[in-house]
Amino acid sequence: MERELDGVAAVSDRGLRHHRNEDAFDIAVTALPEPDGTAVVAVVCDGVSSATRPDEASAAAAARGKASVLAALEAGGDGRQAMHDAVLAAGEAVAGLVDGPSPDHNAPACTYVAALCTGGIVTVSWVGDSRAYWVPDDRTSKAERLTEDDSWAERMIAVGLMSRDEAYADERAHAITGWLGADALEVDPHTVSFRPEEPGVVVVCTDGLWNYAESAAALASVLPPDARTRPLGCARTLLDFALEGGGHDNITVAVMAFPPQPVRPPSIP
C-alpha cells in the first residue's frame, strides 16, 4: 500500500515472512490560518502480533489519531496538545474493538507514533517502539532519533542495569512495555517538539524498517539525497532496503518534508 500527498508519502508492505500486514498508516495535509500555515500529519501503527486482530487495532488507531489531530488543529488548538490527545483518542478506538467477555484478555493492541509539521515546529507523539527520525538535507549535519522505545531493552538501559549492547543482545530486548489497547493499564503518551534550523525530512516507521537501520546515522545513510522533494521515492527506497535486508516483519514508513509545502485553504462558496 502507498499514498502520496503534497510533501508527505507513506508505504506499507507485509514483508517476506508474514502472511498478512498488521501495520497501518494515515497521512493528511491541511491549511491553517497564519502563522501556522500548512499542517502535515503522519501516523504509523504496528499491530501487536500476540494479540487478537492486530491489523484492526493498527488501522483503528491510525485513522482515529489522524482525525483527532486534524479536528483539534482546525478548531484552533495547540499542536502539542492536539498530538498528545490524539494518542489517547487512538487508544480509546483500539480499546473499543474488544468484543469478548474479558476486555483485558489478549485484547487487540498496537503501537503508535505520529509526527506533525506546522508553524516551523515538528511535534512527535508515541507509545510503544515505532519510531520517528529527523534527517537534514545537509548530510554533514547530524540526524536525530526523536523517540525512545517503550521496550524492555530501553528500560534496562534507563535504570543502568545493562549497557546498550548488552540490552539489545538479550532475547527480551524488543518486548514492548507500552501499547494501545484495552489491556494497557495506563496510556501515557510521550510528546516532544523541536524547531529544525534547516530543511530536511521526518521519517516515521515501524520496527520492520528500523531493525535494519537502528541508528539515526544508519537510517540517514540509506535516504536518497532528494528525499525532501521526492518523499514517495524516499519511502520506496527505505522499503526496498528493509526487504533486501530480509523483510522479517511488516514494514511501514512515512516521509514528511520540512518545511511543509504551502497549501491554499479551500474556497468558501
Side-chain angles (χ1 to χ4, degrees), residues 80-148:
R80 187 181 178 102
Q81 188 65 47
M83 291 288 281
H84 174 276
D85 292 347
V87 183
L88 301 179
E92 291 174 358
V94 178
L97 295 175
V98 170
D99 58 8
S102 176
D104 60 352
H105 178 68
N106 204 28
C110 67
T111 68
Y112 178 103
V113 62
L116 166 68
C117 294
T118 190
I121 296 173
V122 174
T123 300
V124 178
S125 290
W126 75 96
V127 171
D129 65 349
S130 292
R131 293 182 177 180
Y133 295 84
W134 163 252
V135 182
D137 280 358
D138 180 359
R139 299 304 164 78
T140 63
S141 298
K142 186 178 180 182
E144 300 280 354
R145 180 172 140 197
L146 304 177
T147 56
E148 291 292 340

Side-chain angles (χ1 to χ4, degrees), residues 16-100:
L16 303 178
R17 303 293 183 90
H18 290 259
H19 70 283
R20 67 177 177 183
N21 192 349
E22 297 171 356
D23 288 355
F25 70 80
D26 212 336
I27 58 176
V29 179
T30 191
L32 300 175
E34 294 298 336
D36 292 327
T38 304
V40 182
V41 181
V43 184
V44 168
C45 300
D46 184 353
V48 176
S49 294
S50 59
T52 58
R53 296 151 57 206
D55 53 332
E56 295 180 40
S58 58
R64 179 68 65 84
K66 184 200 76 171
S68 178
V69 172
L70 290 179
L73 292 175
E74 290 167 358
D78 172 73
R80 187 181 178 102
Q81 188 65 47
M83 291 288 281
H84 174 276
D85 292 347
V87 183
L88 301 179
E92 291 174 358
V94 178
L97 295 175
V98 170
D99 58 8

Side-chain angles (χ1 to χ4, degrees), residues 205-267:
C205 63
T206 60
D207 60 351
L209 170 62
W210 67 252
N211 274 328
Y212 298 101
E214 197 275 335
S215 70
L219 189 76
S221 71
V222 182
L223 264 67
D226 59 355
R228 182 169 57 86
T229 57
R230 296 182 61 252
L232 180 57
C234 175
R236 289 170 172 169
T237 296
L238 292 171
L239 170 62
D240 289 344
F241 171 77
L243 292 172
E244 290 166 5
H248 287 75
D249 202 351
N250 305 149
I251 306 153
T252 302
V253 55
V255 179
M256 308 171 66
F258 182 91
Q261 299 181 17
V263 296
R264 283 188 281 178
S267 59

Side-chain angles (χ1 to χ4, degrees), residues 194-211:
F194 81 109
R195 187 180 293 274
E197 297 180 353
E198 58 188 308
V201 294
V202 179
V203 177
V204 187
C205 63
T206 60
D207 60 351
L209 170 62
W210 67 252
N211 274 328

